[in-house]
Amino acid sequence: MFPRNAWYAAGWDHEIKRDLFARTICNQRLVFYRKQSGEVAALADACWHRKLPLSLGHLDGDDVVCQYHGLAFAADGKCSRMPSQDKINPRACVRSYPVAERHRFVWVWMGDPDLADHNKIPDLLKRMGGDGWTGDGETINMKADYRLVVDNLMDLTHETYVHGGSIGNESVAESPFKVDSDDTQVTLTRWMEDTPPPPFWRGQLGKDGNVDRWQIIHFEPPCTIAIDVGVAPTGTGAISGDRSQGVNGMVLNTITPETDSSCHYFWAFTRNYDLDSVNRTTQLRDGVSNIFKQDIVVIEAQQKVFDSDPDAKFVNMNIDAGAVHARRLIAKMIKNENMVEAAE
Amino acid sequence: MFPRNAWYAAGWDHEIKRDLFARTICNQRLVFYRKQSGEVAALADACWHRKLPLSLGHLDGDDVVCQYHGLAFAADGKCSRMPSQDKINPRACVRSYPVAERHRFVWVWMGDPDLADHNKIPDLLKRMGGDGWTGDGETINMKADYRLVVDNLMDLTHETYVHGGSIGNESVAESPFKVDSDDTQVTLTRWMEDTPPPPFWRGQLGKDGNVDRWQIIHFEPPCTIAIDVGVAPTGTGAISGDRSQGVNGMVLNTITPETDSSCHYFWAFTRNYDLDSVNRTTQLRDGVSNIFKQDIVVIEAQQKVFDSDPDAKFVNMNIDAGAVHARRLIAKMIKNENMVEAAE
Amino acid sequence: MFPRNAWYAAGWDHEIKRDLFARTICNQRLVFYRKQSGEVAALADACWHRKLPLSLGHLDGDDVVCQYHGLAFAADGKCSRMPSQDKINPRACVRSYPVAERHRFVWVWMGDPDLADHNKIPDLLKRMGGDGWTGDGETINMKADYRLVVDNLMDLTHETYVHGGSIGNESVAESPFKVDSDDTQVTLTRWMEDTPPPPFWRGQLGKDGNVDRWQIIHFEPPCTIAIDVGVAPTGTGAISGDRSQGVNGMVLNTITPETDSSCHYFWAFTRNYDLDSVNRTTQLRDGVSNIFKQDIVVIEAQQKVFDSDPDAKFVNMNIDAGAVHARRLIAKMIKNENMVEAAE
């Protein structure tokens, strides 16, 4: 249901401290912690010996000590202490996972460690075109298959129906869009020209009158989506590249499968205006958080339908072009992994 | 576990309004609503497109609008609006179900629509011999196979043990009964002659002294049971047909499977005396409701035994003659449906 | 997962009264009660007729009366009353189980009644060398395979890590031990010589200074474990058999499988000193209860790992010698039973 050879966001940088942090990713229980150097380590969260979750234990320097019988494991997973024995069994170890820290997230590689290339970490900053942005976000523990969240973000016509009071109006569902896609990404671009802004964007722009509004959705498999959004007063040049009269945000999303039917959905809303206002940052985070609560209801309800009827099938319409391409890239990653595995 | 070609009570008439009402029947999620004409419609409760329960959406005229992407479906299940498309995909539809309204209930036909004959709706009024009755009832969401409720109602000797303080006494268990049955119904008749009335009936009659008491149970497959009950002072002619000195009630029951191990059990207690007293109606509804709470304990406990030991088997005694016949009719309906299905 | 031909503790003697007491043992629902003579009876907790748990009924003399239809069953399981019938069906019965009462526990034999030899009841008193002991205990309803509790008790090095503030210190994990085992028992003996006592034992001894400390674990399959524990001031003769300067306790444990993944764990802490102090008894019971709460966390966490990954495997270290022998005896009992069953 998910590729393993991928970087997944395990948590926000501030969540992982000099302490044991348990999180299940792709059906595997992991424990994360920071070493004395500040670097993050990730181990399988079950002692080699009797399977007690290591996260119930404690840190001793850079080692994790099991709470049950005192076995200690280094950050590379090797057993470094085996009480009541002269020798440590050389096979005693737990799996360790490649970890990296980038852009406020700690990322973990769930597959073959030899393939864990840091260049493959989703570059959220690049999506924003470098520095000069600020914002904040939250984590949603969604009781749903992570791909239902991907579907949701790849088709923003749902704003019209799910978020009618804030960011959605008729023009989102009615405006045409185009999709560009290759083996590494999907980009969906929608311009809503000369349209009344919905309440959220009217508030951000601080001006009455029609706007040119854009939504440019970048999908990077398996589950990172950056959405370039904004409005500018109609005819002030945004469509041809000059957004200077408008307001521009980036909705950054990365969704990490927890189990087959749950995920951790990390999101942030960043902007390149009014950068010094903590008040604005907080208002935007809370505002978007309330909007996303409406998505939780919808997506978790879909999951329940599938739980009670595993044969339920999706049908695709024109609006699903982005989601169809995104799911195709995910399926391809999984298929490639299965072929490699079968060949081994 | 249940026949599909049958009318099932979906809800009380007052429960289904100009609003979306979700109910699971025979393991299928349905959504009910009233059209502008007042007629009731029933659709599968999952959008054709992405399976969101339609019951999370809203009504637009006689159409249901999905809350996720705005697809609309008419009462016949056909998609009437598909946002962001010029054409509606002609295959876009959800299943619609035949519905009828009769005797305070909305009924739905779960099987082949061509067989949905309104004459097959259980005629609860006829059971009472026409008008001149009043009463009220409730719904119990029982966590049990609907057939355990049928068993319960087809053998009222349990009143002696489960309802000793109200409607049960030794004479129920000790009195003989006879069963008449054919392909369409089961009738079980029990007369308890010259017996002390239990507290409930003493109260209804308002007179001391022994009574002739009757219980005449009519079962109509798969799951409707009308019970003609009452007492009259001993020897005043009730046995030979003159009930004028007594009090007469009808316990009307129809049980709708929700899942394999749960059901909605609709019941009402009606009477043909003291018709104008709302006080009497309320007291009777609350009194019977308290009696049925004792049945819930027993029936749900049986279900738990079967949940933990699916091989547990029932044994039949003389008292089970009515339940045995009723279950035979249910099994026959299911078998016939399976044979037709296999032949297709 | 558990032998059936074994005596299992069903409850404390005071728990089973002139009343119906339901308990699931080895996946079977049982009902226990005292007859008028005071003797305990045990029956399958589902009526022969319609499977209602008999524990929902009531006692009539020495018979259990089913709450649903009034069938009565004698203590030997035979139906003694069948309402509404002239004759009792001679096959009407529920299974009855051999029961015995010994040492504050009621024991039940779950297998072939012909093999239910009272001499096989774990003799907890003998373990203590006869009378002259006092103490008290509790029941833990552990959400875990009973064998995880056996593992826990057969390897007390976990005291160092789980119970560091009370009974554990480094010397437990570091001291050598020896294991003696045959077909009927496992004994693991550990002496910690000239060692500082942990807080619990310092308190019991009431004296400063190093001690000689012992732990002698007796396992009797499938699941009774008596642990002879104590300390004496170093060099006062405890090692050679004179414990008169020390304090001696017995931790008596018997663990009864409830389901595949839960058990009732009965324990008592007894001592042979300060016999008249109810205060001491209470303090010890509460103190040990708090210590065992730490074990519950650990053992239930192990179970959850197995629930989410049934393929998770244990690895054994030197410290597991006792648990390995104990599990071998349990597995042998189960294997023998399966062979007998296959031959029948």
Side-chain angles (χ1 to χ4, degrees):
Chain A
M1 304 209 32
F2 14 74
R4 308 233 167 232
N5 288 324
W7 290 103
Y8 288 105
W12 295 87
D13 51 9
H14 64 267
E15 286 186 293
I16 295 170
K17 301 181 275 234
R18 279 289 292 162
D19 215 346
L20 298 169
F21 176 85
R23 179 144 278 167
T24 294
I25 297 179
C26 299
N27 286 326
Q28 298 187 37
R29 293 159 165 260
L30 304 186
V31 55
F32 295 85
Y33 63 97
R34 280 186 195 277
K35 296 191 277 188
Q36 287 162 311
S37 64
E39 267 186 300
V40 177
L43 300 175
D45 193 18
C47 180
W48 169 78
H49 172 228
R50 295 275 158 172
K51 303 301 170 200
L52 189 75
L54 291 173
S55 54
L56 293 178
H58 63 272
L59 282 174
D60 179 11
D62 284 356
D63 293 2
V64 182
V65 181
C66 179
Q67 176 68 1
Y68 205 171
H69 302 97
L71 281 78
F73 297 90
D76 63 2
K78 285 218 177 101
C79 183
S80 56
R81 189 171 138 228
M82 193 168 275
S84 323
Q85 303 218 163
D86 291 340
K87 277 195 196 165
I88 293 177
N89 181 327
R91 278 170 314 195
C93 64
V94 294
R95 183 171 169 188
S96 81
Y97 293 80
V99 174
E101 203 167 346
R102 188 173 293 178
H103 306 319
R104 295 206 51 203
F105 291 115
V106 169
W107 303 85
V108 63
W109 180 267
M110 298 302 293
D112 179 350
D114 291 341
L115 306 177
D117 179 353
H118 281 217
N119 290 321
K120 293 180 181 165
I121 299 173
D123 193 341
L124 300 171
L125 192 63
K126 195 181 68 183
R127 289 280 164 222
M128 299 185 278
D131 292 324
W133 293 74
T134 192
D136 201 4
E138 284 181 348
T139 309
I140 297 169
N141 189 192
M142 188 87 82
K143 302 300 177 211
D145 184 331
Y146 73 106
R147 293 171 298 191
L148 294 177
V149 183
V150 171
D151 290 341
N152 174 278
L153 293 165
M154 292 305 292
D155 167 29
L156 298 182
T157 67
H158 79 265
E159 292 183 356
T160 307
Y161 307 98
V162 181
H163 312 302
S166 53
I167 54 175
N169 59 16
E170 287 297 324
S171 74
V172 185
E174 285 165 8
S175 301
F177 61 89
K178 67 186 177 69
V179 179
D180 297 312
S181 140
D182 57 35
D183 271 6
T184 63
Q185 61 85 35
V186 180
T187 302
L188 187 150
T189 305
R190 172 184 284 112
W191 279 94
M192 293 152 270
E193 298 180 35
D194 195 14
T195 185
F200 176 91
W201 284 114
R202 167 66 190 78
Q204 292 303 305
L205 187 61
K207 246 184 232 168
D208 285 330
N210 275 8
V211 296
D212 296 329
R213 181 181 176 190
W214 66 91
Q215 293 172 331
I216 303 165
I217 308 170
H218 300 277
F219 168 78
E220 199 171 325
C223 47
T224 297
I225 295 172
I227 312 182
D228 176 2
V229 287
V231 300
T234 299
T236 57
I239 295 169
S240 53
D242 176 7
R243 299 174 172 182
S244 62
Q245 306 298 309
V247 284
N248 192 180
M250 290 291 290
V251 193
L252 305 173
N253 310 276
T254 190
I255 308 127
T256 302
E258 182 185 41
T259 66
D260 288 357
S261 59
S262 64
C263 59
H264 284 97
Y265 167 18
F266 303 94
W267 64 265
F269 185 94
T270 61
R271 69 187 186 279
N272 64 358
Y273 55 95
D274 204 6
L275 292 180
D276 295 334
S277 170
V278 176
N279 179 303
R280 173 87 75 163
T281 297
T282 306
Q283 281 192 354
L284 280 168
R285 190 194 60 216
D286 292 354
V288 176
S289 177
N290 283 329
I291 290 170
F292 284 4
K293 284 195 177 98
Q294 299 172 314
D295 292 297
I296 297 175
V297 172
V298 164
I299 293 170
E300 293 190 345
Q302 283 185 294
Q303 181 66 42
K304 277 184 196 154
V305 172
F306 282 94
D307 288 344
S308 71
D309 178 11
D311 295 331
K313 291 257 182 310
F314 275 173
V315 178
N316 293 315
M317 295 169 31
N318 292 355
I319 54 171
D320 300 309
V324 167
H325 279 89
R327 285 206 177 226
R328 206 170 283 160
L329 292 189
I330 296 172
K332 201 171 169 183
M333 286 181 81
I334 297 172
K335 198 180 158 196
N336 287 346
E337 286 185 13
N338 290 346
M339 281 172 61
V340 169
E341 221 170 273
E344 274 167 3
Chain B
M1 303 209 35
F2 15 75
R4 308 234 167 232
N5 288 324
W7 290 103
Y8 289 104
W12 295 88
D13 51 9
H14 64 265
E15 286 184 295
I16 295 171
K17 299 181 278 234
R18 281 288 294 160
D19 214 347
L20 298 169
F21 176 85
R23 178 144 280 165
T24 294
I25 297 179
C26 298
N27 286 327
Q28 298 187 35
R29 292 158 165 261
L30 304 185
V31 57
F32 295 85
Y33 62 99
R34 280 187 196 276
K35 295 189 278 188
Q36 285 161 312
S37 64
E39 267 186 298
V40 177
L43 300 176
D45 193 17
C47 181
W48 171 77
H49 171 228
R50 295 277 159 170
K51 302 303 170 198
L52 188 76
L54 292 173
S55 54
L56 293 178
H58 64 273
L59 281 174
D60 179 10
D62 284 356
D63 293 2
V64 182
V65 181
C66 179
Q67 176 67 5
Y68 205 169
H69 302 96
L71 280 79
F73 298 90
D76 63 2
K78 285 218 177 104
C79 183
S80 56
R81 187 172 141 229
M82 194 169 275
S84 324
Q85 304 218 161
D86 291 339
K87 278 196 196 165
I88 293 177
N89 181 328
R91 278 170 314 196
C93 65
V94 296
R95 182 171 169 188
S96 81
Y97 292 79
V99 173
E101 202 168 346
R102 188 173 294 180
H103 307 319
R104 295 206 51 202
F105 291 114
V106 170
W107 304 85
V108 63
W109 180 267
M110 298 301 293
D112 179 350
D114 290 341
L115 306 177
D117 178 354
H118 281 217
N119 291 321
K120 293 181 181 163
I121 299 172
D123 192 342
L124 299 171
L125 192 64
K126 194 182 67 186
R127 288 281 165 223
M128 300 186 281
D131 291 324
W133 293 73
T134 193
D136 201 5
E138 286 181 346
T139 309
I140 298 168
N141 188 194
M142 189 86 83
K143 301 301 176 210
D145 183 331
Y146 72 106
R147 293 171 297 191
L148 294 177
V149 183
V150 171
D151 291 340
N152 175 279
L153 293 165
M154 292 306 293
D155 168 29
L156 298 182
T157 68
H158 80 265
E159 293 183 355
T160 309
Y161 307 98
V162 181
H163 312 302
S166 54
I167 55 174
N169 60 15
E170 286 295 325
S171 74
V172 186
E174 286 166 9
S175 303
F177 61 88
K178 67 185 176 69
V179 179
D180 297 313
S181 139
D182 57 34
D183 270 7
T184 63
Q185 61 86 37
V186 180
T187 303
L188 186 151
T189 306
R190 172 184 283 114
W191 279 94
M192 294 152 271
E193 298 180 34
D194 195 13
T195 182
F200 176 89
W201 284 115
R202 167 67 192 78
Q204 292 304 306
L205 188 60
K207 248 185 234 168
D208 285 329
N210 274 8
V211 294
D212 296 328
R213 180 180 178 191
W214 66 92
Q215 293 173 331
I216 303 167
I217 308 171
H218 300 277
F219 168 79
E220 198 171 326
C223 46
T224 297
I225 296 172
I227 313 182
D228 174 3
V229 289
V231 300
T234 299
T236 57
I239 295 170
S240 53
D242 176 6
R243 298 175 174 181
S244 61
Q245 306 298 309
V247 284
N248 192 179
M250 291 290 291
V251 194
L252 306 173
N253 312 276
T254 190
I255 308 126
T256 301
E258 182 186 39
T259 65
D260 289 355
S261 58
S262 64
C263 58
H264 284 96
Y265 167 18
F266 303 94
W267 64 264
F269 186 93
T270 62
R271 67 187 189 280
N272 62 0
Y273 55 95
D274 204 4
L275 292 179
D276 295 334
S277 170
V278 176
N279 179 303
R280 174 87 74 163
T281 298
T282 307
Q283 281 191 354
L284 280 167
R285 189 194 61 214
D286 292 354
V288 175
S289 177
N290 283 329
I291 290 170
F292 285 3
K293 284 195 178 98
Q294 298 172 315
D295 292 298
I296 297 174
V297 171
V298 164
I299 293 170
E300 294 190 344
Q302 282 184 294
Q303 181 65 42
K304 278 185 196 152
V305 172
F306 283 95
D307 288 344
S308 71
D309 177 12
D311 295 331
K313 290 257 181 308
F314 275 173
V315 178
N316 293 315
M317 295 169 32
N318 293 354
I319 53 171
D320 300 310
V324 167
H325 280 89
R327 285 205 177 227
R328 208 171 283 160
L329 292 189
I330 296 172
K332 201 171 167 182
M333 287 181 79
I334 297 171
K335 198 179 155 197
N336 287 346
E337 287 185 13
N338 290 345
M339 279 171 60
V340 169
E341 219 169 275
E344 273 165 4
Chain C
M1 305 208 35
F2 14 75
R4 308 236 166 229
N5 288 324
W7 291 103
Y8 288 104
W12 295 88
D13 50 10
H14 65 265
E15 285 185 294
I16 296 170
K17 300 182 277 234
R18 280 289 292 162
D19 214 346
L20 298 170
F21 177 85
R23 179 145 280 165
T24 294
I25 298 180
C26 298
N27 286 327
Q28 298 187 34
R29 292 159 165 260
L30 305 185
V31 56
F32 295 85
Y33 63 98
R34 281 188 195 275
K35 295 191 277 188
Q36 286 161 312
S37 65
E39 266 185 299
V40 177
L43 299 176
D45 193 17
C47 181
W48 170 79
H49 171 228
R50 294 275 158 171
K51 302 302 171 199
L52 189 76
L54 292 173
S55 54
L56 292 179
H58 63 273
L59 281 173
D60 178 10
D62 284 356
D63 293 2
V64 182
V65 181
C66 179
Q67 175 69 4
Y68 205 169
H69 302 98
L71 281 78
F73 298 89
D76 63 1
K78 284 217 177 102
C79 183
S80 56
R81 190 172 138 227
M82 193 168 277
S84 323
Q85 303 219 164
D86 293 339
K87 277 196 197 166
I88 293 177
N89 181 329
R91 278 169 314 194
C93 66
V94 295
R95 183 171 169 188
S96 82
Y97 293 80
V99 173
E101 203 169 345
R102 189 174 291 180
H103 308 319
R104 296 205 51 202
F105 290 114
V106 170
W107 303 84
V108 63
W109 180 268
M110 298 301 293
D112 180 350
D114 291 341
L115 305 177
D117 179 354
H118 281 217
N119 290 321
K120 292 181 182 164
I121 299 172
D123 193 342
L124 299 171
L125 191 65
K126 195 181 69 184
R127 288 284 164 220
M128 299 186 279
D131 292 324
W133 293 75
T134 193
D136 201 4
E138 286 179 349
T139 308
I140 298 167
N141 188 193
M142 188 87 83
K143 301 300 176 212
D145 184 331
Y146 73 106
R147 293 171 297 191
L148 294 177
V149 183
V150 171
D151 290 340
N152 174 278
L153 292 165
M154 292 306 292
D155 168 28
L156 298 183
T157 66
H158 79 266
E159 293 183 355
T160 308
Y161 306 98
V162 181
H163 311 302
S166 53
I167 55 174
N169 60 15
E170 287 294 327
S171 74
V172 186
E174 286 166 6
S175 301
F177 62 88
K178 67 185 178 65
V179 179
D180 296 313
S181 138
D182 58 33
D183 270 7
T184 63
Q185 60 85 37
V186 179
T187 303
L188 185 151
T189 305
R190 172 184 283 114
W191 279 95
M192 295 151 270
E193 299 180 35
D194 196 14
T195 182
F200 176 90
W201 284 115
R202 169 65 192 76
Q204 292 303 305
L205 188 60
K207 247 184 233 169
D208 286 330
N210 274 9
V211 295
D212 295 330
R213 180 180 177 190
W214 65 93
Q215 292 173 331
I216 303 167
I217 308 170
H218 299 277
F219 168 79
E220 200 171 323
C223 48
T224 297
I225 297 172
I227 312 182
D228 175 4
V229 289
V231 300
T234 300
T236 56
I239 295 169
S240 53
D242 176 5
R243 297 173 173 185
S244 61
Q245 305 298 307
V247 285
N248 193 179
M250 290 290 290
V251 193
L252 305 173
N253 311 277
T254 190
I255 308 124
T256 300
E258 183 186 40
T259 65
D260 289 356
S261 58
S262 64
C263 58
H264 284 96
Y265 167 18
F266 303 95
W267 64 264
F269 185 92
T270 62
R271 68 186 188 278
N272 64 359
Y273 54 96
D274 205 4
L275 292 180
D276 295 333
S277 170
V278 175
N279 178 303
R280 173 86 74 163
T281 297
T282 307
Q283 281 192 353
L284 281 166
R285 189 195 61 215
D286 293 354
V288 175
S289 178
N290 283 328
I291 290 170
F292 285 3
K293 285 196 177 96
Q294 299 173 314
D295 292 296
I296 297 174
V297 172
V298 164
I299 293 169
E300 294 189 345
Q302 282 184 294
Q303 181 68 41
K304 277 185 198 153
V305 172
F306 282 95
D307 288 343
S308 70
D309 177 11
D311 295 330
K313 289 258 182 310
F314 275 173
V315 178
N316 293 316
M317 297 168 34
N318 293 355
I319 54 171
D320 300 308
V324 167
H325 279 89
R327 285 205 176 226
R328 207 171 281 161
L329 292 189
I330 296 172
K332 201 172 168 182
M333 286 181 80
I334 297 171
K335 197 180 157 196
N336 286 346
E337 286 185 13
N338 290 346
M339 281 171 60
V340 168
E341 219 169 275
E344 274 166 5

